Amino acid sequence: MFTFEYVDFSTTSQEIRNCLATEDFQRLATTLRGLELGQLIEQFEALKIADAAILYRMLDKDRSLELFQNLDAPVQAELIKTLQQATVVEAFAALEPADRVSLLDELPATVATRLLAGLDKQQRQATGVLLGYRDSSAGRGMTTQFISTHPELTVGQVLNCITPQLNATEHCHLIMVVDRTRRFIGAVRLADLLGQPQDLLISNIAFEIPTAQASEPDTEAARRALERHLDLMPVLDNEGRLIGVLPLGEAIDLLEDAEELRTARSAGSEPLYRPYLGTPLRKLVRARVVWLLVLAVGATLTVQVLATFEQTLESMVVLSLFIPLIVGIGGNTGNQAATTVTRALAMGDVRVSDLGRVMFREVRIGAMLGLCLGAIGFLIASVVFELEVGMIIGMTLVALCSIAAAVGGAMPIIGKFFKADPAVFSNPFISTFVDAAGLIVYLSVAVLVLGR
Amino acid sequence: MFTFEYVDFSTTSQEIRNCLATEDFQRLATTLRGLELGQLIEQFEALKIADAAILYRMLDKDRSLELFQNLDAPVQAELIKTLQQATVVEAFAALEPADRVSLLDELPATVATRLLAGLDKQQRQATGVLLGYRDSSAGRGMTTQFISTHPELTVGQVLNCITPQLNATEHCHLIMVVDRTRRFIGAVRLADLLGQPQDLLISNIAFEIPTAQASEPDTEAARRALERHLDLMPVLDNEGRLIGVLPLGEAIDLLEDAEELRTARSAGSEPLYRPYLGTPLRKLVRARVVWLLVLAVGATLTVQVLATFEQTLESMVVLSLFIPLIVGIGGNTGNQAATTVTRALAMGDVRVSDLGRVMFREVRIGAMLGLCLGAIGFLIASVVFELEVGMIIGMTLVALCSIAAAVGGAMPIIGKFFKADPAVFSNPFISTFVDAAGLIVYLSVAVLVLGR
């Protein structure tokens, strides 16, 4: 049990007004935590509604639910309307995203659904700041365009009750089933309702479906929805209460955008999100130039490596003829491994903890590929040039393919560990690292074989 | 008007039996085309049902519909059952795919839907040979798990009529509306039926939706379904008759598999279609080694180019230090352009006929990127090495970036023209071509600047 020390109304009131005026939300939250529910309601009622809405949003989840339930219905409605207003949203939008997430507790499910009900996608996006979920979380992407019902009702009751909503609701193939506290139980198909006896209980035909957490990344939820072909994925808050749904169509669009970003990034450019022929040239240049420069700066590493071995190159200029071949084969081997592992990560076949296993597999695969290519390289280079060149090429390819495959396989996993998109992270790193590594191996082998 | 010459029953009968025995479907089709409907029926009835089924499938679409309509219901049912049998399917499966498509006319919509009704995915795939559509066409991927109705019925009539089917039909959010000859008219939402007055005509609430042609590639149909978020895409034959549907879930899987293939191929390996960690090493090696060899063979071009310029390299070994840098920047520039254009092709923003426009755009973009990189390269190389080196690097980058962007942008379009997957086609070609071109430009510029 907490014991609250006696807090004077007018002192507290002054403190709250000060916090609001200076937008010191951190101090406001602390002040509010020191108040009992009764005092809180007093303070809430004494404020102008726009200020009251900000105060309201700073409460912890439990207390914000308690306070909401203690308000009269018209005041509840006014509070919801005020929370949707630009001035209130902007106050929170001005916070740093990280502060916002740590400062704003999840909204209670009843309040969240009422806040979002009837808003279109754009308005939802704007109001999303108030929800207490990160950008690009499932809670931000969800909609409230769905129909829900309760397990203890009969099929007949439900059909009567939902029929008026059907025309206005886009996503109604699946009806969500929740208990009286909005806790998610399962779903029923609209089609199944029609075929059933009128007095059957909903609890008898509700079935489980995969769900999403409001706080999880929206692309993860979307990928699960696509894999399971789920028309409508319920989005739950951290108490398992239904606050929205992710329709399959929106899941498709989310992944489509993520894919555009990934494809563009993995080739070292920024996504356009608009038709190619209609995009001005300078925008296309801008989307590419930064990455091109980054990759070019990375590539200067190869110049430095080669400069170190300049003497070796001078003593046997024929070695320089194979530089692009060696670098290219290393890059291709690394790329193959990276692509396979990136896909395996996306599919959930490989986890971050599998790093060791993956690298051990890839070293062996790389060695086998290297033996194969090295043998051919040795034969051709020995015949066309000289035996020493053949030996250098052959040995380099065995060593390089092993290294490149292991590094290529490891990069996406390391990228994932640092929460970078594996595909994006791997590409520039592999090309820079493997190019330089390939040259070091090549010329070290040459020094070894030539003895100079 | 055609006049048929008099054809003797027993001679023809002997001819047909010969064709069937030797599996000479070409001659069978010609023989059948010479018969009138009455004669055709006589011949059909004189054969064992397995032979009759093969004869039946060799008819042109119109005549196969006429013949079918002239059969008694039990004979129709037996024919359908026989067409589904392995022996009949195998006779056609033995044909070359191209012959099959040219020899087998589309089946009439009524026959096609009856043929597929009740078959599961695996059986559908097996029987698909009989449909007269290419592998990987929408007609092959469709299912017949859907509900259809007619425009002149009332909402009440339709609800009565479809209710018993709802539980057994997986895809019933959208009800297809067809006329009495199965010509596709539109669709109604199941949810909309419930909210409407019982005596409203279906024609009043049916709406248009995007459709697929049975003969078009399944991935094209699937992409359209995903873009439009269409739960159920109707698949029509070339007379606009409804023969099946492509559910959104299957469209998702189709594109997922296509994506796996493309990702793997664009990195130069074969897709695994199975979990990475569970795949034996030799399978992984096999998926990669062929492409790696192909790319390596392509890369020997660079050795030849460099061998041509061996004297220049010998006279100024410092030039060889920049080889990987130059090759890398060319590859990156080409890749950026290829990725952007590949995506634009997939999205339908760019067509094959835009080749000239795309190349003109990309040359200019490449020149701008080249000027930017070239200026930086000139400055650094002049300071660190010598003025001549800086000039060579700078001029090379301007020329190379223009070429690489134009080639990179053109490759996916050329690939598409030859009906190769743009992403797959571009990658090995760009890397090989741009690597070699980069070296030619680099060393030609060097010869020019150095005068030797």
Side-chain angles (χ1 to χ4, degrees), chain A residues 141-360:
Chain A
M142 70 191 179
T143 114
T144 50
Q145 273 270 322
F146 65 97
I147 297 177
S148 64
T149 187
H150 298 299
E152 70 277 14
L153 299 179
T154 65
V155 166
Q157 286 171 321
V158 170
L159 276 176
N160 275 336
C161 165
I162 67 173
T163 300
Q165 304 171 53
L166 288 175
N167 281 323
T169 312
E170 203 188 324
H171 309 293
C172 51
H173 317 319
L174 277 181
I175 316 279
M176 301 292 148
V177 182
V178 295
D179 72 12
R180 293 288 164 183
T181 66
R182 303 193 66 87
R183 223 175 279 273
F184 180 74
I185 293 172
V188 290
R189 292 202 320 159
L190 175 61
D192 287 345
L193 289 181
L194 290 176
Q196 300 290 354
Q198 296 280 304
D199 56 357
L200 189 72
L201 288 181
I202 291 296
S203 55
N204 288 325
I205 52 171
F207 50 86
E208 280 186 25
I209 56 174
T211 60
Q213 286 297 314
S215 52
E216 76 175 312
D218 53 7
T219 48
E220 279 179 24
R223 174 153 287 284
R224 226 158 48 239
L226 254 70
E227 260 164 33
R228 306 288 292 268
H229 303 170
L230 191 63
D231 287 325
L232 220 51
M233 179 176 253
V235 180
L236 313 184
D237 70 9
N238 59 26
E239 296 170 320
R241 293 197 164 84
L242 181 68
I243 48 175
V245 293
L246 179 69
L248 189 53
E250 298 207 7
I252 290 171
D253 289 349
L254 269 170
L255 289 180
E256 187 71 45
D257 284 353
E259 178 61 27
E260 171 155 8
L261 178 66
R262 186 163 52 231
T263 317
R265 284 279 172 75
S266 70
S269 62
E270 292 298 306
L272 300 175
Y273 298 126
R274 52 192 291 179
Y276 168 77
L277 289 176
T279 310
L281 288 189
R282 63 193 155 70
K283 282 207 192 259
L284 284 163
V285 171
R286 210 182 302 148
R288 298 182 192 176
V289 72
V290 177
W291 275 93
L292 208 55
L293 282 172
V294 170
L295 291 171
V297 169
T300 56
L301 192 59
T302 60
V303 180
Q304 291 163 37
V305 169
L306 287 174
T308 318
F309 290 97
E310 200 171 347
Q311 268 193 309
T312 315
L313 283 171
E314 256 168 27
S315 71
M316 201 175 185
V317 172
V318 73
L319 287 178
S320 65
L321 308 190
F322 294 94
I323 289 176
L325 181 81
I326 300 282
V327 165
I329 290 178
N332 289 331
T333 312
N335 240 329
Q336 288 182 328
T339 307
T340 313
V341 174
T342 298
R343 173 143 193 109
L345 278 172
M347 296 286 111
D349 301 335
V350 164
R351 286 157 208 285
V352 172
S353 56
D354 291 323
L355 178 63
R357 270 178 86 188
V358 169
M359 286 187 75
F360 184 52

Side-chain angles (χ1 to χ4, degrees), chain B residues 432-452:
Chain B
T432 307
F433 181 89
V434 171
D435 287 4
L439 294 170
I440 294 175
V441 170
Y442 178 44
L443 293 161
S444 304
V445 171
V447 170
L448 212 75
V449 171
L450 300 174
R452 60 195 166 200

Side-chain angles (χ1 to χ4, degrees), chain A residues 166-167 170 173 189 192 229 231 249 253 267-268 276-277 279 288 293 306 321 336 339 343 361-362 373, chain B residues 166-167 170 173 189 192 229 231 249 253 260 267-268 276-277 279 288 293 306 336 339 361-362 373:
Chain A
L166 288 175
N167 281 323
E170 203 188 324
H173 317 319
R189 292 202 320 159
D192 287 345
H229 303 170
D231 287 325
D253 289 349
Y276 168 77
L277 289 176
T279 310
R288 298 182 192 176
L293 282 172
L306 287 174
L321 308 190
Q336 288 182 328
T339 307
R343 173 143 193 109
R361 292 194 76 135
E362 288 297 336
L373 288 176
Chain B
L166 288 175
N167 280 323
E170 204 188 325
H173 318 318
R189 291 203 322 160
D192 287 344
H229 303 171
D231 286 327
D253 289 349
E260 171 155 7
Y276 168 77
L277 289 175
T279 310
R288 299 182 190 175
L293 282 171
L306 287 174
Q336 287 182 328
T339 307
R361 292 193 77 134
E362 287 296 338
L373 288 176

